[in-house]
Amino acid sequence: MNKKEDYKRLIVFGLASLIVLAQTAVFAYVWYTVYRGQIHAPFWRKGNWALIAIYGMIFVLFAKLYGGLRVGYLKRIDVFYSLTLALLCTNVVEYFQITLINRWFLSPWPMVEMTGVQIVLNIVWILGSRHIYSRLYRARNLLVIYGDKDPGDDLINKMNSRRDKYNISGKVHASAGEQEIHRMMKEYDGVIIWDLPSGERNRYLKYCFAHSIRCYMSPKISDIILMGSDRIHLFDTPLLMSRNMGLSVEQRAAKRIMDILISGIGIVITSPIMLIIAIAVKAYDRGPVFYFQNRLTLNGKSFRICKFRSMRVDSEVHGARLASKHDSRITPVGKVIRNLHLDELPQLFNVFVGDMSMVGPRPERKEIMREYEKELPEFYYRLKVKAGLTGYAQVYGKYNTTPYDKLKLDLFYIENYSLLLDIKLIFMTGKIFFQKEVSEGVDDKQVNALKNSAEHHKDKPEEKK
């Protein structure tokens, strides 16, 4: 199994190296045929090589940041978006680098044309590498080990949606006994440990580690808190220290500066789009253009969020509820701007004045928050940071993601916060426009995203021990 994994990693490394070398070669051609001759004091041979090598390294850094080189892991559309984003960032940086070398601006059009060629190369590489990967490696057959709560169709449908990677072909209840389950593990390519008590879960996890068995787990809230802890090596006994204080003062200051800059620029750039949307909303039913609603942010503080109105004026006469998949309250104009997430553009003003941040947990209404806390008291953990226009749960989740999963995604963000992560999530937010399922509402019979209260019960005793 280890040799197979080593061979697989070599294939992935080779495919990733291929696209890096191809994109670097395209830049080298443009540099030698266009820009080098326009530089007042052109480089000698090694200087040219150094510049080309720097281009390749910058592309690798951005591609690694956005996950574009993870062959066989992301969906094709995600790989394309990530690689294209890495390419644009690299080319912008390289253009300004050439400008600094020349001490004056040169025509950007050769770089624009080069980018077009490189995007085509990305598409060819994505299709080719996925074909090679799928031919060499089939989906992993997985065994689910579960406790009191059967994972049911929800988990199976989610993982089997990536049939190129996963195939859940067996399930076994923990009551079958460890000896029998250990025997069954040998018949599969990996196991999923699902909703087991900590002690039992840890025994299976150690067994998998000892026998080099691939293991997937759904983390508990306490696990995610531990992921953000600091390691202390002051003694010969290792310690983990969790600050549990949210962001530090310097992180908050840097984040606020970034919020003001990005939201200010965003308001200027999107003002023509906002004007067109405002006219369309007003023209449809002569109702108000904006929709104001009380939401919760840092430490439970309430503020009035501003959005373009996408529903009828009387949409909540019967109380607060989330939008459903076939919600009759949504207007035709609202349907368009919701699918494109343009209804949220006025929130840039909320960010600019400090009510929200560009990145953070999406703000919830107090009424919805109370409903979630009845089933999941830990849901208020999300309020350790300021609410955001986009966030970890928006990039990696959906509109109808369950509160439990949304909490875990937001805690991943809080416990692993960095300014670089904020920048990454802002750029990755663009992929939402290409994923219709991200804006899919809850089921028509639901008023919020709670699907089954039983799904939360198992985690709560672990948190309170």
Side-chain angles (χ1 to χ4, degrees):
M1 181 64 73
N2 287 335
K3 287 185 178 180
K4 182 179 178 181
E5 283 298 313
D6 290 343
Y7 181 65
K8 181 178 177 180
R9 286 182 175 276
L10 284 174
I11 293 294
V12 171
F13 178 78
L15 291 171
S17 299
L18 185 63
I19 188 62
V20 173
L21 291 174
Q23 301 294 25
T24 305
V26 173
F27 169 74
Y29 175 80
V30 173
W31 168 252
Y32 275 111
T33 59
V34 179
Y35 287 116
R36 183 174 179 269
Q38 299 178 13
I39 300 293
H40 294 305
F43 290 142
W44 293 95
R45 185 188 309 173
K46 291 182 180 179
N48 296 320
W49 294 350
L51 185 68
I52 293 167
I54 290 172
Y55 179 90
M57 287 189 288
I58 294 173
F59 179 67
V60 169
L61 287 174
F62 279 116
K64 292 281 285 183
L65 175 64
Y66 300 123
L69 299 179
R70 304 183 73 176
V71 180
Y73 177 74
L74 299 175
K75 295 179 181 178
R76 280 191 289 261
I77 184 63
D78 290 336
V79 175
F80 173 75
Y81 181 80
S82 298
L83 268 185
T84 302
L85 186 56
L87 194 63
L88 292 174
C89 292
T90 303
N91 289 351
V92 168
V93 170
E94 194 61 37
Y95 174 73
F96 283 109
Q97 185 177 346
I98 292 172
T99 298
L100 289 173
I101 294 170
N102 187 55
R103 296 186 179 87
W104 191 247
F105 291 98
L106 296 173
S107 172
W109 290 113
M111 294 290 284
V112 173
E113 294 171 1
M114 180 186 79
T115 303
V117 173
Q118 289 175 313
I119 289 174
V120 173
L121 279 178
N122 279 348
I123 296 172
V124 173
W125 178 80
I126 290 167
L127 296 176
S129 60
R130 177 54 66 89
H131 177 73
I132 293 171
Y133 188 91
S134 60
R135 289 292 297 270
L136 291 175
Y137 303 104
R138 59 177 175 80
R140 298 181 187 276
N141 288 318
L142 302 178
L143 172 69
V144 180
I145 307 169
Y146 65 97
D148 293 338
K149 181 189 157 213
D150 191 313
D153 294 334
D154 190 40
L155 172 69
I156 293 174
N157 290 338
K158 281 181 181 179
M159 297 198 70
N160 283 351
S161 66
R162 289 295 307 274
R163 291 194 175 275
D164 58 317
K165 286 189 64 65
Y166 309 114
N167 177 30
I168 299 180
S169 51
K171 292 195 301 183
V172 60
H173 193 277
S175 61
E178 291 187 23
Q179 187 174 357
E180 172 63 15
I181 292 175
H182 290 168
R183 184 196 64 79
M184 293 179 67
M185 285 181 179
K186 299 175 183 177
E187 302 172 4
Y188 294 85
D189 300 320
V191 298
I192 301 174
I193 301 176
W194 183 260
D195 200 45
L196 294 181
S198 294
E200 192 172 2
R201 179 193 70 170
N202 291 344
R203 288 198 299 273
Y204 283 117
L205 179 61
K206 290 176 182 177
Y207 181 87
C208 291
F209 184 83
H211 294 82
S212 300
I213 298 172
R214 183 176 289 259
C215 179
Y216 302 83
M217 288 192 306
S218 177
K220 297 181 184 295
I221 294 172
S222 53
D223 297 327
I224 299 173
I225 294 174
L226 283 175
M227 288 178 187
S229 60
D230 294 329
R231 297 168 187 162
I232 296 179
H233 298 293
L234 298 177
F235 325 101
D236 57 356
T237 299
L239 294 176
L240 293 176
M241 187 270 291
S242 183
R243 299 182 188 277
N244 304 321
M245 298 296 292
L247 307 187
S248 64
V249 61
E250 62 270 20
Q251 287 175 328
R252 294 196 302 271
K255 190 175 176 67
R256 181 64 187 135
I257 292 170
M258 186 180 74
D259 286 342
I260 293 173
L261 290 175
I262 295 179
S263 62
I265 294 171
I267 289 169
V268 173
I269 293 175
T270 62
S271 55
I273 300 173
M274 287 196 277
L275 178 61
I276 294 171
I277 295 172
I279 293 172
V281 172
K282 189 69 177 180
Y284 176 73
D285 59 5
R286 297 294 188 270
V289 170
F290 298 106
Y291 175 65
F292 294 93
Q293 192 178 70
N294 290 326
R295 298 285 183 98
L296 300 179
T297 185
L298 177 65
N299 298 325
K301 180 183 176 182
S302 179
F303 74 99
R304 282 170 61 80
I305 198 171
C306 180
K307 302 174 71 174
F308 282 119
R309 184 174 58 86
S310 60
M311 293 187 176
R312 299 193 312 263
V313 177
D314 61 348
S315 61
E316 291 195 341
V317 292
H318 300 296
R321 57 168 294 181
L322 296 182
S324 60
K325 294 178 182 177
H326 306 99
D327 204 318
S328 60
R329 300 174 300 164
I330 300 175
T331 66
V333 174
K335 187 174 183 180
V336 174
I337 62 175
R338 285 176 73 92
N339 285 340
L340 295 175
H341 299 272
L342 297 178
D343 60 319
E344 298 179 355
L345 283 178
Q347 291 171 48
L348 289 170
F349 292 98
N350 287 118
V351 174
F352 191 78
V353 299
D355 294 331
M356 298 170 60
S357 177
M358 284 299 299
V359 183
R362 283 298 294 161
E364 295 286 355
R365 281 173 282 185
K366 185 178 290 187
E367 300 85 353
I368 299 293
M369 187 83 169
R370 287 197 188 115
E371 291 299 315
Y372 290 165
E373 287 185 310
K374 289 178 184 177
E375 303 292 343
L376 184 62
E378 298 87 354
F379 197 71
Y380 79 91
Y381 292 174
R382 301 168 70 251
L383 302 180
K384 278 187 172 287
V385 297
K386 193 178 290 186
L389 179 57
T390 185
Y392 207 94
Q394 282 63 55
V395 172
Y396 297 105
K398 299 189 292 186
Y399 180 81
N400 59 2
T401 296
T402 63
Y404 186 49
D405 286 335
K406 185 181 291 185
L407 170 61
K408 289 194 284 188
L409 288 169
D410 286 329
L411 283 179
F412 270 122
Y413 169 74
I414 295 170
E415 293 301 309
N416 297 279
Y417 175 78
S418 70
L419 203 61
L420 184 62
L421 178 59
D422 267 5
I423 295 170
K424 175 183 176 179
L425 291 173
I426 289 171
F427 279 114
M428 291 300 290
T429 300
K431 75 172 186 175
I432 294 174
F433 295 103
F434 305 99
Q435 296 175 315
K436 185 178 179 181
E437 67 272 14
V438 170
S439 58
E440 189 178 66
V442 299
D443 290 337
D444 294 332
K445 295 181 180 180
Q446 294 177 243
V447 297
N448 54 50
L450 288 171
K451 290 185 178 179
N452 183 2
S453 60
E455 75 174 312
H456 311 303
H457 292 170
K458 203 67 183 177
D459 199 44
K460 285 189 275 187
E462 300 297 333
E463 302 299 308
K464 294 178 181 178
K465 284 183 180 179

